[in-house]
Amino acid sequence: MAKTTATATRYDVVVVGSGFGGSISALRLAQAGKAVAVLERGRRYRPGDFPRDVRRADEVLWRHPSRLEAQGLYDVRFLSGIGTVTASGVGGGSLIYANVHVRPDAVVFEDPRWPRSYSRASLEPYFDKVARELRLESTPVSIDLRKRELFQRAGARMGRETFDPPLAVAWKESPGPGRKVCQLCSECEFGCQHGAKNTMDQTYLARAEALGATVVARTLVSHVEPVRGGYRVHCQDLATGERTAVEGSRVILAAGTLGTVEILLRSRDGARSLPRVSARLGHGYSGNGDFLGSLHGAREDMQPWVGPDVSTVMRFTEAKPRFTLVPATFNRPATEVLAGLGQPRLGPFQGIGAPLWTLLGPVVHKAFSAGLLSKPLRNGVDPARTCNLFGIGQDNANGRMGLKGGRLDVEWNYAGENKALVERMTVAMQELASQYGGTYAPLVTWQLFKRPFTVHSLGGAHLADSPERGVVSTEGEVFHYPGLHVADGSVIPTAIGFHPVMTISAVSERIAEAVARGF
């Protein structure tokens, strides 16, 4: 049972964040008989609760400097070197990801930035745990998906291997009360209104709550400080504005790469409550090579809005820089809006908007509020013959995270340092588009600003064998701070080149096992 001290409620374990790392940690420590509290900045969503009216921007977008009262689902940031999209809500990124779980090739872990004890083989038992908990299964071959068939056919003509990855989706029977099997509506990344996704709040976290774990939503953590017998987590109730604190004998930071690194930076450099955190904090940020383009004018109707968002992956892993490629599809209204934007090409004017990049946050919020993205433009493009192309690669993981004006920022000359990866992805997307009889163009923001967008932020608090090489030990414990752990994408020391969630989850399972063993 949790107990109250004169200063704060105290638990055996306080977990910050409820995404993959946080929910895994909560369940495994609750199973170990510990009193667990999970602090989550976002609200709790149930099937049917997810926002669909983009004009209600405060429900869609998370806080930014000009709109702190906005507490929506998507946290969109225009950082100095990269744009990022993360989720805010109980269940974290699992609420809006494409459900794809890939066990990466063994060669990924041969990079010397990974600690020696980490390998594909050593993580295999933890991959298995995740697969069981999330009931992973590929899209059944019995489901007729036109977009899958066309993509597989294109891959065969290109001499490329394609595979249908395991997805955290209920296909055959309802996974629980108020939930349905997949409705093939391509809304995975908008929040599943049908409850067909096996998200963390419906799986790991629900099991942790059944064992007594407490989930406190709408609670934003600022910093952590050591206290006798553990740590005090300083936070703010976003519903009331009240500043509070919670104590734990163990604290696990799992607020996602951006959230966790920001908390550690504030603790070390702002509050100075954790002054001995490694100087490597913030080094080695990766966007996992995410690169977006579009395919227009396919010769055949692709039925892009039928099925899950992603059903098939194509490999480009025989040579460096390695990457994988998927057609990223969405529901019909979103596809029509995206198709209406066309495929602008800026030619010699590429990069012209770079000085304005970091000012785009308020602009995006106003565009949503004004309804500019709610209705498609009429330009003669057939949305049924379009889709997005999404490359996921092994970038050089050389971004530098730090605080600028009191807020997290990432400095990175991505275009210059990852030129070969971008060029190889571009050639692949052009070739793929030609197989469809269509045209390819990179995301217009890439052309305008020469900045990528990522939904897969990694790194900044790396696993390592020593504090000279990283921030946390191989068991996820922050060097010099016993009982303070990190379990999320921030501990991953390299780009993965595949959808990274399976790796993050397996590493989090391993860390949770170590925390439980250490009590």
Side-chain angles (χ1 to χ4, degrees):
M1 296 291 291
K3 58 183 179 179
T4 301
T5 69
T7 54
T9 302
R10 188 176 182 101
Y11 294 84
D12 296 324
V13 183
V14 175
V15 180
V16 180
S18 63
F20 295 96
S23 293
I24 288 169
S25 300
L27 175 58
R28 299 312 180 199
L29 274 299
Q31 287 176 328
K34 305 305 176 185
V36 178
V38 179
L39 310 181
E40 165 58 48
R41 66 177 181 170
R43 54 165 286 197
R44 191 186 287 268
Y45 293 89
R46 304 291 187 187
D49 287 347
F50 294 99
R52 286 295 186 268
D53 187 347
V54 296
R55 293 168 298 182
R56 303 178 70 168
D58 285 0
E59 296 178 10
V60 176
L61 298 174
W62 185 251
R63 299 151 54 109
H64 58 74
S66 68
R67 193 72 180 175
L68 291 177
E69 61 268 39
Q71 295 182 26
L73 179 60
Y74 297 92
D75 184 349
V76 181
R77 306 192 197 187
F78 296 86
L79 306 173
S80 293
I82 194 168
T84 64
V85 181
T86 57
S88 178
V90 176
S94 72
L95 300 176
I96 63 169
Y97 81 136
N99 315 301
V100 179
H101 287 257
V102 180
R103 304 185 189 203
D105 294 342
V107 68
V108 171
F109 302 99
E110 293 173 6
D111 188 301
R113 288 173 289 186
W114 280 92
R116 291 184 296 274
S117 61
Y118 277 81
S119 66
R120 167 66 187 263
S122 70
L123 286 176
E124 206 67 37
Y126 305 104
F127 288 136
D128 291 342
K129 279 188 172 185
V130 176
R132 286 193 298 270
E133 291 288 348
L134 296 181
R135 301 184 292 280
L136 300 180
E137 181 183 356
S138 300
T139 308
V141 295
S142 59
I143 297 177
D144 183 20
L145 292 180
R146 184 68 172 152
K147 62 188 177 185
R148 173 172 59 179
E149 177 189 348
L150 292 173
F151 189 62
Q152 291 174 341
R153 194 188 304 169
R157 289 196 297 266
M158 293 167 64
R160 291 289 170 185
E161 177 191 348
T162 60
F163 64 96
D164 291 357
L167 304 179
V169 172
W171 298 108
K172 299 182 179 71
E173 59 184 44
S174 170
R179 301 176 64 192
K180 300 178 181 178
V181 297
C182 181
Q183 301 296 293
L184 305 178
C185 62
S186 290
E187 294 186 359
C188 306
E189 291 166 74
F190 301 153
C192 183
Q193 303 288 44
H194 308 288
K197 294 176 61 166
N198 294 327
T199 52
M200 300 306 281
D201 57 313
Q202 303 274 15
T203 55
Y204 278 92
L205 195 59
R207 290 187 61 197
E209 289 183 277
L211 292 170
T214 299
V215 177
V216 186
R218 302 186 69 185
T219 301
L220 183 65
V221 171
S222 60
H223 64 285
V224 178
E225 69 168 325
V227 294
R228 183 169 182 156
Y231 294 88
R232 180 174 297 154
V233 180
H234 293 266
C235 44
Q236 181 182 22
D237 184 325
L238 292 179
T240 66
E242 180 186 2
R243 296 195 176 277
T244 61
V246 179
E247 292 182 2
S249 300
R250 304 284 191 278
V251 168
I252 301 174
L253 298 179
T257 294
L258 303 182
T260 289
V261 173
E262 184 166 7
I263 290 168
L264 286 172
L265 285 167
R266 289 184 185 282
S267 301
R268 188 190 67 183
D269 303 336
R272 300 188 184 279
S273 53
L274 300 175
R276 299 189 66 201
V277 170
S278 169
R280 296 299 300 171
L281 177 63
H283 289 255
Y285 170 86
S286 168
N288 204 36
D290 287 1
F291 191 77
L292 281 161
S294 64
L295 187 164
H296 282 196
R299 68 174 67 90
E300 299 179 67
D301 183 341
M302 301 167 64
Q303 299 180 6
W305 41 73
V306 178
D309 289 359
V310 173
S311 59
T312 308
V313 177
M314 187 180 294
R315 282 178 170 273
F316 293 80
T317 54
E318 79 289 348
K320 294 181 179 179
R322 304 179 186 91
F323 67 97
T324 51
L325 179 61
V326 300
T329 57
F330 308 114
N331 66 7
R332 186 165 191 152
T335 303
E336 289 175 343
V337 168
L338 290 170
L341 298 177
Q343 288 185 312
R345 292 175 173 83
L346 302 182
F349 300 103
Q350 292 192 39
I352 192 172
L356 302 176
W357 170 253
T358 57
L359 304 178
L360 290 181
V363 175
V364 168
H365 193 283
K366 290 178 181 177
F368 273 76
S369 299
L372 298 181
L373 300 176
S374 62
K375 293 182 180 179
L377 300 174
R378 298 187 181 278
N379 62 357
V381 174
D382 182 356
R385 298 171 188 268
T386 71
C387 73
N388 293 304
L389 302 177
F390 186 22
I392 301 173
Q394 288 187 283
D395 61 40
N396 69 342
N398 196 40
R400 178 70 182 273
M401 308 172 79
L403 296 177
K404 179 183 288 187
R407 296 179 62 85
L408 185 74
D409 194 31
V410 175
E411 299 277 358
W412 196 5
N413 177 16
Y414 186 93
E417 296 178 19
N418 294 282
K419 183 178 180 180
L421 176 63
V422 172
E423 288 179 347
R424 189 162 186 244
M425 285 181 167
T426 298
V427 169
M429 291 181 183
Q430 290 171 333
E431 183 181 2
L432 180 63
S434 70
Q435 294 294 335
Y436 282 83
T439 58
Y440 158 78
L443 191 69
V444 68
T445 53
W446 172 260
Q447 297 183 68
L448 270 172
F449 305 104
K450 284 299 179 184
R451 302 289 192 279
F453 254 104
T454 183
V455 294
H456 296 141
S457 289
L458 303 171
H462 290 177
L463 295 161
D465 294 313
S466 71
E468 290 73 37
R469 295 180 60 85
V471 177
V472 302
S473 73
T474 56
E475 295 186 341
E477 190 169 56
V478 177
F479 289 116
H480 307 303
Y481 293 98
L484 178 61
H485 288 75
V486 176
D488 59 21
S490 68
V491 306
I492 305 300
T494 68
I496 303 298
F498 296 87
H499 290 77
V501 68
M502 192 59 160
T503 303
I504 294 168
S505 299
V507 171
S508 297
E509 283 276 16
R510 175 170 164 167
I511 290 171
E513 182 179 88
V515 177
R517 189 173 58 239
F519 266 96

